[in-house]
Amino acid sequence: MLEGSIGNTERHLGQGPSSPEVTEHFKVAIIGSGFSGIGMAIRLIQRGMRDFVILEREDQVGGTWYLNSYPGAACDVPSRLYSFSFEQNPSWSRSFSPQGEIFEYLKTCTSKYGIGDHIRFRCDVEEAVWDDDSQAWDITTPRGRFRADVLVSAAGALCEPKSPSIPGIERFKGTIFHSAAWNHQHDVSGEKVAVVGTGASAIQVVPSIQPIVEHLDLYQRTPPWIIPRNDRKFGRLERVLSKRVPLFMSLTRALIYWTREFSVVALTRHLGLLGIEQKIAYRHLKSQVADPELRRKLTPSYTIGCKRILISNDYYPALTQSNATLVTDSIAEIGEDSIVTSSGETRPTDTIIFATGFQTLPLPIGERIRGRDGHSLGEIWSKDGVEGYKGTTFSGFPNLFMIVGPNTGLGHTSMVYMIESQINYVLGALDAMGREGITALYPKERAQETYNRDLQSKLQGTVWQQGGCDSWYQDENGKNTSLWPDFTFRFRKQLRRFDVENYEYKPTVRPNAGKLGANAGAEVSGKQSDSSGSAETLLSL
């Protein structure tokens, strides 16, 4: 059992954060400053808890919305829904936000709530090790060592770009980069460009660069289902109402939420309903691609929804242009100035852009976090598969919380809703620890096993398992460890109360000693205050 108290921590400031010998002690350390990290920090500040640090490996906040700055980058979730419920943005310019606006929104949140003073930039977490003696996490970074009573991983699932290993790639004399690390110093105008991949990034990159390149080759392994992107600029009246009438934003947000939530029925329970959307997608393809052979190559063979459904109005038209070629042969090797396909064709190439997604399984951060027995999450996952308890905590890893952990991903709506649900759960855990004098806790092994057994059972009848495709949602054994198989409001309900009874812990000080925040104890009592704000009141059950 676990001993000690989470209250009364000390700071060891030493020589400053740039010295690797220095240890600074915080109650909470947050890894990453994307939506999850910024949201966690804001909620801590709102509850009067400022003894925390954010460790960010880049030199800016924003996470994936800072790194993914490729041409055409934008969100495929409606703007009204893609923001914190407690900090809705009345300044969106369009119904689907471009990358730059989302990045600015996150920077605005950082400034408004005074988070900047808590962030250590260029501070990549190399390793975080639980120390049973001190009942804390020892964290190693290039800019110093840190210690924290609680570790919150907000690193996200889409943080490590994945590039394929192709024979001959080292001898290519042109330019190569990943869409998530766009080379803005390199101008592709007038070049022969190869885009490898047909996922969410590719369908935005291709139409953005096709008009300016000499020739574009798109290397496709599996075509995606694409539906129309019903994007538009917000009119003047909408913008005025958004800024002056909060209820207007709340109602439009709620309408979008429930409209999207309805699709869960088709994705998880009644797969036959997906035929309606598949017909819409095929009509979209047929209306934009007249050439029957090209249309055949662009038609998926799996049920819509098995892979992420993409939205675009200009991807198909770009591929019909005379300077664009859809290549369905696989890449055999790369030469000095060309790509050689499996059919033996040599295609001259100046620049290669990998739009090949991210390393998602297992979650990369897992390799860097070691629990009580010295094993990393990555090592455990490689043996037993990626699992957690409620997608947030892990047996044998005390005081570790992961936002956007296993089986919290979505295929239909905003991840911000899931992020806020998990943040509320973390706050409930901090309240319980402060109220009961608990120094450390982690989920019981049986509770975690039962949770994942039920979760995988629910996944079996979904389109992601039955739709006839392989996707990044699944591991090498076909196990879906990425997606949540139910309504998002049920996930929120499941995490509304911190269920301390399903955790290993041992109270070691008198109750109410060392509370972590102004509202300590509220969550576990069953009378928790919902942090959601007026809009989320409409969204929660």
Side-chain angles (χ1 to χ4, degrees):
M1 304 296 274
L2 306 176
E3 301 179 357
S5 169
I6 200 167
N8 303 319
T9 59
E10 354 179 302
R11 284 183 192 277
H12 303 286
L13 296 177
Q15 305 169 36
S18 61
S19 171
E21 290 78 28
V22 172
T23 297
E24 294 186 86
H25 197 151
F26 296 89
K27 287 185 176 178
V28 179
I30 302 169
I31 303 174
S33 63
F35 263 102
S36 299
I38 290 174
M40 187 76 242
I42 291 174
R43 296 295 290 119
L44 288 174
I45 288 173
Q46 287 178 332
R47 292 161 68 89
M49 217 288 270
R50 295 181 176 272
D51 189 5
F52 69 89
V53 66
I54 300 177
L55 305 175
E56 170 55 56
R57 69 179 181 181
E58 304 297 336
D59 57 6
Q60 263 289 3
V61 300
T64 190
W65 292 109
Y66 167 61
L67 294 172
N68 285 267
S69 58
Y70 57 81
C75 191
D76 59 0
V77 172
S79 304
R80 302 285 194 207
L81 200 57
Y82 206 74
S83 59
F84 296 120
S85 63
F86 50 81
E87 188 61 42
Q88 295 187 55
N89 181 17
S91 301
W92 297 125
S93 66
R94 309 187 63 86
S95 52
F96 288 91
S97 315
Q99 174 266 337
E101 289 190 18
I102 300 173
F103 178 43
E104 288 300 320
Y105 167 75
L106 291 172
K107 288 199 296 183
T108 298
C109 289
T110 300
S111 175
K112 177 177 179 178
Y113 289 92
I115 297 171
D117 292 341
H118 296 268
I119 304 176
R120 305 297 173 84
F121 292 111
R122 297 179 297 282
C123 210
D124 190 17
V125 172
E126 297 170 337
E127 188 175 56
V129 180
W130 175 257
D131 179 26
D132 254 343
D133 292 334
S134 63
Q135 296 286 274
W137 287 95
D138 287 327
I139 306 165
T140 304
T141 79
R143 300 194 62 207
R145 293 175 55 242
F146 299 84
R147 176 165 287 178
D149 301 324
V150 171
L151 181 64
V152 179
S153 173
L158 306 180
C159 62
E160 297 291 345
K162 181 176 64 176
S163 297
S165 178
I166 303 173
I169 194 170
E170 71 285 346
R171 64 174 181 256
F172 185 66
K173 292 184 177 180
T175 302
I176 301 179
F177 54 88
H178 194 282
S179 60
W182 193 269
N183 185 347
H184 290 280
Q185 281 67 54
H186 181 70
D187 186 3
V188 299
S189 298
E191 289 195 332
K192 300 179 182 69
V193 177
V195 176
V196 181
T198 53
S201 302
I203 70 163
Q204 295 178 339
V205 168
V206 166
S208 298
I209 66 173
Q210 173 271 319
I212 64 173
V213 303
E214 177 185 332
H215 194 87
L216 185 145
D217 285 337
L218 176 65
Y219 289 83
Q220 171 185 281
R221 184 176 61 179
T222 306
W225 281 111
I226 301 174
I227 59 176
R229 184 182 183 88
N230 298 316
D231 190 20
R232 61 181 179 82
K233 286 186 177 181
F234 287 132
R236 182 176 179 276
L237 179 60
E238 285 178 286
R239 295 197 302 271
V240 170
L241 288 173
S242 296
K243 291 180 180 180
R244 299 182 181 179
V245 185
L247 182 60
F248 173 77
M249 289 189 65
S250 299
L251 290 175
T252 54
R253 180 181 173 97
L255 178 62
I256 294 169
Y257 172 82
W258 286 111
T259 300
R260 293 221 154 203
E261 203 70 358
F262 179 74
S263 65
V264 174
V265 176
L267 292 168
T268 65
R269 291 164 173 75
H270 301 286
L271 274 55
L273 295 174
L274 292 169
I276 300 172
E277 191 158 21
Q278 190 160 309
K279 287 180 180 178
I280 294 172
Y282 186 72
R283 280 201 300 267
H284 182 54
L285 168 61
K286 191 174 182 179
S287 69
Q288 293 192 320
V289 180
D291 179 0
E293 178 59 18
L294 178 58
R295 191 164 65 239
R296 182 188 65 80
K297 291 179 179 179
L298 290 169
T299 303
S301 59
Y302 56 85
T303 303
I304 193 170
C306 186
K307 291 176 178 284
R308 187 174 182 91
I309 301 171
L310 305 181
I311 57 174
S312 176
N313 295 332
D314 50 12
Y315 174 72
Y316 288 145
L319 293 178
T320 66
Q321 302 305 306
S322 59
N323 70 332
T325 301
L326 179 67
V327 183
T328 55
D329 290 332
S330 60
I331 298 175
E333 63 175 325
I334 296 177
E336 292 184 354
D337 56 3
S338 65
I339 290 178
V340 181
T341 70
S342 57
S343 64
E345 183 181 14
T346 298
R347 304 191 64 83
T349 307
D350 300 313
T351 294
I352 300 174
I353 301 170
F354 288 123
T356 45
F358 300 85
Q359 172 62 47
T360 56
L361 294 176
L363 296 168
I365 193 66
E367 297 292 343
R368 306 185 183 197
I369 300 176
R370 297 188 175 275
R372 297 189 74 204
D373 62 1
H375 292 299
S376 70
L377 269 174
E379 290 170 340
I380 293 172
W381 288 341
S382 66
K383 182 178 64 174
D384 302 327
V386 178
E387 290 184 352
Y389 180 63
K390 298 188 175 181
T392 310
T393 55
F394 307 89
S395 183
F397 289 77
N399 298 3
L400 171 65
F401 302 91
M402 184 174 291
I403 312 297
V404 191
N407 290 107
T408 60
L410 300 172
H412 70 289
T413 192
S414 174
M415 277 302 301
V416 182
Y417 186 90
M418 300 291 276
I419 287 168
E420 287 194 41
S421 300
Q422 290 187 277
I423 289 173
N424 288 343
Y425 192 69
V426 176
L427 294 175
L430 298 181
D431 289 341
M433 296 169 74
R435 188 184 65 251
E436 302 296 337
I438 299 170
T439 184
L441 47 71
Y442 57 83
K444 296 176 181 177
E445 188 173 342
R446 178 171 293 182
Q448 183 166 309
E449 289 175 351
T450 300
Y451 175 82
N452 282 281
R453 184 170 58 249
D454 293 345
L455 185 100
Q456 289 301 317
S457 176
K458 285 184 178 180
L459 275 162
Q460 291 314 302
T462 67
V463 69
W464 309 303
Q465 301 301 103
Q466 303 293 330
C469 75
D470 294 322
S471 72
W472 61 265
Y473 301 146
Q474 301 164 315
D475 64 18
E476 58 187 10
N477 299 313
K479 180 181 178 181
N480 190 326
T481 59
S482 300
L483 296 184
W484 170 248
D486 206 336
F487 296 105
T488 59
F489 60 78
R490 286 188 174 158
F491 182 79
R492 173 157 294 189
K493 183 178 180 181
Q494 194 176 86
L495 272 69
R496 187 177 298 278
R497 182 185 74 89
F498 182 72
D499 49 336
V500 68
E501 66 274 11
N502 287 321
Y503 282 76
E504 298 281 0
Y505 69 95
K506 182 179 180 181
T508 57
V509 298
R510 61 183 176 80
N512 296 316
K515 288 186 178 181
L516 286 172
N519 296 325
E523 294 287 337
V524 181
S525 68
K527 300 179 180 179
Q528 69 279 8
S529 57
D530 195 335
S531 63
S532 338
S534 59
E536 291 299 299
T537 302
L538 294 169
L539 306 184
S540 301
L541 292 181

